[in-house]
Amino acid sequence: MKKLLFIYNPHAGKGQIRAKLADVLDIFTKAGWLVTVRPTQGKADATYTAAWLGGEFDRLVCCGGDGTLHEVVTGLMEVSHRPELGYIPAGTTNDYSRNLKLPKGYEAMAAAAAEGVPRPVDIGRFNDRYFVYVAAFGAFTDVAYDTPQQVKNMFGHLAYVLEGISRLGNLKGYQARVEYDGGVLEEEFIFGMVSNTVSVGGMLGLPADSVALDDGLLEVVLVRTPRNPMELQGAITALMKQTTDEAAGVMGFHASRLKITCAEETPWTLDGEYGGAPQVAEIQACRHAVTIVYGA
């Protein structure tokens, strides 16, 4: 019998998974899986569990927000024989799930995780760490990890929007040299993002038709520090429309590898979690590093 490890965050998404747990496990069992269950016990527990046990299972399914998915993938990168990975999103924004064509509702998502289509996908390496779908610095990137869980549960995605708006008057520029696949940019940026997803924060990123999760390329968006309020408004409009606008200082391109050197130590976020504050960030695509289960 095939073995499945189910890791879930009992606090994500208002804790709704606890009421659905029996139904989810029943769906896995009826699909022919022998199931082992692990509720996470705190920060990094999903990473520890995936690294410790992941190699013993045919499939690992995680339930939680993008932070839980990030922890699980980080753990799996330590495993030589990586199981297929299913995802039941239960967080506030659930950016990565937008790539996977998952159905709505816990029971339907559990069925997709148990019987969906496994496909290889790329993930990113950030210095000696990993990210599933985004590494970013600059404006608003600390909102996800600085917003308390209670506020996320109460207001959902609106919590991020409200917190982001409150920062508009305190935008900071970062002088940086960006080297990528034969190109070089030297500018002051208020925002930089390296991603492998059609959605970040529900709206940011390159157009979905230009994103492939398995092509060995990462999508890069850089926003030059605005020289006036009109340029700032143009940059915000371009980001919300998921397009580039050179006149407003929004640049976008694909790259397999980057080196971003800032004039000072710069805080980064990796999949919505604090990723440290290096002065130099070396980023590359790890092609087909994990196999993730899609819906229909």
Side-chain angles (χ1 to χ4, degrees):
M1 183 176 289
K2 298 178 295 181
K3 296 193 296 181
L4 183 150
L5 174 61
F6 182 50
I7 300 174
Y8 73 96
N9 179 350
H11 304 293
K14 303 179 184 178
Q16 295 176 356
I17 182 59
R18 286 177 286 189
K20 301 289 186 179
L21 186 58
D23 292 333
V24 167
L25 298 180
D26 188 56
I27 288 167
F28 291 160
T29 302
K30 284 183 167 60
W33 296 101
L34 180 63
V35 184
T36 299
V37 182
R38 170 80 173 191
T40 57
Q41 302 298 299
K43 190 172 181 61
D45 185 69
T47 297
Y48 169 76
T49 303
W52 175 40
L53 295 175
E56 301 175 18
F57 290 82
D58 302 290
R59 184 166 294 186
L60 189 163
V61 177
C62 67
C63 178
D66 292 324
T68 303
L69 179 65
H70 168 86
E71 287 193 6
V72 165
V73 171
T74 296
L76 288 181
M77 293 304 292
E78 304 302 319
V79 176
S80 57
H81 173 69
R82 296 173 194 143
E84 298 165 350
L85 176 60
Y87 181 37
I88 300 176
T92 304
T93 304
N94 301 319
D95 275 318
Y96 195 75
S97 67
R98 298 168 191 261
N99 299 289
L100 305 179
K101 300 180 180 178
L102 299 179
K104 295 189 182 299
Y106 280 95
E107 290 87 350
M109 288 190 291
E115 302 183 281
V117 181
R119 299 176 187 173
V121 302
D122 309 333
I123 68 165
R125 185 181 179 97
F126 179 91
N127 291 339
D128 59 350
R129 302 178 64 176
Y130 297 97
F131 61 94
V132 179
Y133 73 99
V134 66
F137 71 90
F140 314 141
T141 54
D142 61 340
V143 169
Y145 58 79
D146 267 0
T147 304
Q149 185 65 51
Q150 307 95 290
V151 177
K152 295 179 188 178
N153 289 345
M154 187 177 301
F155 295 107
H157 183 62
L158 179 61
Y160 293 131
V161 176
L162 292 174
E163 180 67 13
I165 290 171
S166 73
R167 309 290 180 89
L168 278 174
N170 300 300
L171 295 179
K172 172 181 170 59
Y174 297 87
Q175 187 66 40
R177 175 182 173 88
V178 181
E179 303 168 68
Y180 64 97
D181 292 358
V184 178
L185 290 169
E186 289 195 68
E187 293 268 8
E188 184 179 275
F189 302 103
I190 60 165
F191 177 75
M193 178 176 74
V194 183
S195 66
N196 192 39
T197 180
V198 299
S199 171
V200 179
M203 54 186 177
L204 303 179
L206 293 181
D209 59 4
S210 70
V211 177
L213 302 188
D214 59 354
D215 61 355
L217 296 174
L218 300 168
E219 286 67 54
V220 184
V221 175
L222 297 166
V223 181
R224 186 179 62 228
T225 301
R227 293 166 290 195
N228 53 60
M230 185 176 296
E231 199 168 87
L232 174 60
Q233 183 58 51
I236 293 172
T237 299
L239 291 172
M240 293 186 70
K241 290 182 177 179
Q242 291 187 292
T243 187
T244 58
D245 184 345
E246 292 275 350
V250 180
M251 295 158 275
F253 54 89
H254 301 274
S256 62
R257 183 186 298 264
L258 301 95
K259 181 179 180 180
I260 301 179
T261 304
C262 295
E264 59 186 303
E265 292 183 345
T266 301
W268 286 75
T269 177
L270 305 181
D271 297 337
E273 304 295 324
Y274 180 61
Q279 189 171 352
V280 179
E282 297 197 36
I283 305 168
Q284 69 179 80
C286 301
R287 193 172 191 193
H288 296 181
V290 296
T291 299
I292 293 184
V293 178
Y294 285 61

